[in-house]
């Protein structure tokens, strides 16, 4: 381990392929709630109790309230200097024929908002949905995502569940499919998209400098990327 900035600058100046691995810490300064660790509750639940296929199968209305709340919060948030610096780094280096890839565990799209182009979102995005019936994945920035969720999702522990009927939750609009939509995010107990993982592995193979920014590296498989 070395804290010498001059040494780092030397390595950075020579690097042709830079991989930047980011996690929740990079978005904390933008005021994004992490729902991890002490105090990380929405109502009475921690994220890992709601962000599972089982929780969605059991109570899709509650899980959608939780994600609707997170989407609405994110629509009011902006990239912070870390996101901007990473995007600027990619922009400047690409002019020199050097590549930067951002491999993020975040689902908040703040890297994208900041202007990062080469982005691998390994845990998906709050602003994409996937149909549980036909599997179609689509970008979705509607606010609210469906009329029944308007004004719902308050995080206060005293708030009662809205218990919205399934047919009033977000529905697929592909060719009259009308299947129930779910957030296109990787939930606890689910595996990462193999195509994205292959891309990540390829980038980690060729990178000659890896920066780890704002992640405690405890969630697998991302925890293995830096080692």
């Amino acid at each position: 381990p070395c804290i010498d900035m001059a040494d780092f600058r030397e390595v950075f100046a020579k690097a042709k392929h830079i991989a930047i691995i980011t996690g929740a810490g990079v978005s904390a300064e933008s005021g994004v709630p992490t729902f991890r660790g002490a105090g990380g509750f929405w109502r009475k639940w921690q994220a890992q109790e709601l962000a599972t296929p089982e929780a969605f199968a059991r109570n899709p209305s509650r899980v959608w309230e939780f994600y609707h709340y997170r989407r609405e919060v994110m629509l009011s948030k902006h990239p912070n200097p870390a996101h901007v610096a990473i995007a600027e780094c990619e922009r400047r280096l690409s002019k020199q024929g050097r590549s930067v890839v951002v491999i993020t565990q975040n689902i908040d799209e703040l890297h994208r908002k900041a202007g990062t182009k080469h982005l691998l979102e390994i845990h998906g995005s709050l602003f994409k949905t996937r149909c549980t019936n036909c599997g179609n994945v689509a970008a979705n920035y509607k606010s609210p995502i469906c009329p029944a969720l308007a004004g719902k999702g308050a995080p206060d522990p005293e708030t009662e569940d809205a218990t919205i009927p399934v047919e009033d939750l977000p529905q697929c609009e592909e060719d009259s499919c009308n299947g129930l939509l779910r957030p296109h995010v990787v939930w606890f107990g689910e595996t990462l998209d193999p195509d994205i993982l292959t891309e990540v592995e390829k980038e980690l193979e060729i990178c000659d400098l890896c920066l780890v920014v704002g992640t405690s590296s405890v969630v697998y498989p991302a925890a293995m990327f830096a080692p």
Side-chain angles (χ1 to χ4, degrees):
C2 171
I3 55 164
D4 189 317
M5 192 52 98
D7 282 2
F8 170 72
R9 284 208 173 100
E10 204 175 305
V11 172
F12 185 84
K14 289 178 189 159
K16 294 279 187 284
H17 297 282
I18 300 174
I20 304 178
I21 300 170
T22 72
V26 87
S27 292
E29 214 178 296
S30 293
V32 178
T34 64
F35 298 106
R36 293 188 70 76
F41 283 85
W42 176 83
R43 294 184 188 165
K44 308 179 197 65
W45 296 279
Q46 283 193 302
Q48 46 268 55
E49 297 174 78
L50 297 169
T52 70
E54 294 75 21
F56 190 70
R58 211 167 35 240
N59 196 330
S61 172
R62 180 188 293 154
V63 172
W64 259 121
E65 274 200 89
F66 174 56
Y67 278 93
H68 168 66
Y69 166 72
R70 294 179 71 179
R71 284 166 59 93
E72 294 299 303
V73 165
M74 279 319 307
L75 287 169
S76 69
K77 302 298 180 192
H78 303 286
N80 65 53
H83 298 108
V84 174
I86 287 168
E88 178 68 6
C89 173
E90 179 193 37
R91 198 177 63 78
R92 286 189 200 176
L93 267 52
S94 68
K95 288 179 179 170
Q96 302 167 17
R98 299 157 73 194
S99 77
V100 173
V101 61
V102 177
I103 300 163
T104 190
Q105 299 167 78
N106 299 342
I107 59 173
D108 55 35
E109 289 205 2
L110 288 177
H111 282 300
R112 199 181 292 283
K113 261 191 184 175
T116 293
K117 300 280 188 285
H118 194 182
L119 182 63
L120 297 174
E121 294 168 313
I122 63 168
H123 291 157
S125 162
L126 276 174
F127 298 101
K128 284 184 183 150
T129 55
R130 184 163 84 245
C131 178
T132 56
N133 183 35
C134 73
N136 183 59
V137 174
N140 187 316
Y141 295 92
K142 286 183 195 165
S143 171
I145 187 166
C146 68
L149 280 164
K152 302 291 190 289
D156 189 288
E158 303 307 309
T159 309
E160 293 287 314
D161 278 1
T163 54
I164 299 164
V166 170
E167 60 273 16
D168 294 335
L169 291 171
Q171 304 281 314
C172 181
E173 292 171 13
E174 280 296 292
D175 302 326
S176 65
C177 168
N178 298 328
L180 174 64
L181 295 178
R182 56 162 277 178
H184 184 54
V185 297
V186 179
W187 281 333
F188 292 94
E190 292 185 325
T191 53
L192 267 58
D193 179 328
D195 294 344
I196 290 186
L197 250 156
T198 302
E199 257 189 275
V200 167
E201 282 163 9
K202 193 178 78 192
E203 292 294 342
L204 294 177
E205 278 294 309
I206 63 167
C207 81
D208 44 13
L209 174 62
C210 175
L211 304 179
V212 181
V213 185
T215 175
S216 51
S217 286
V218 291
V219 177
Y220 282 83
M224 282 311 296
F225 292 166

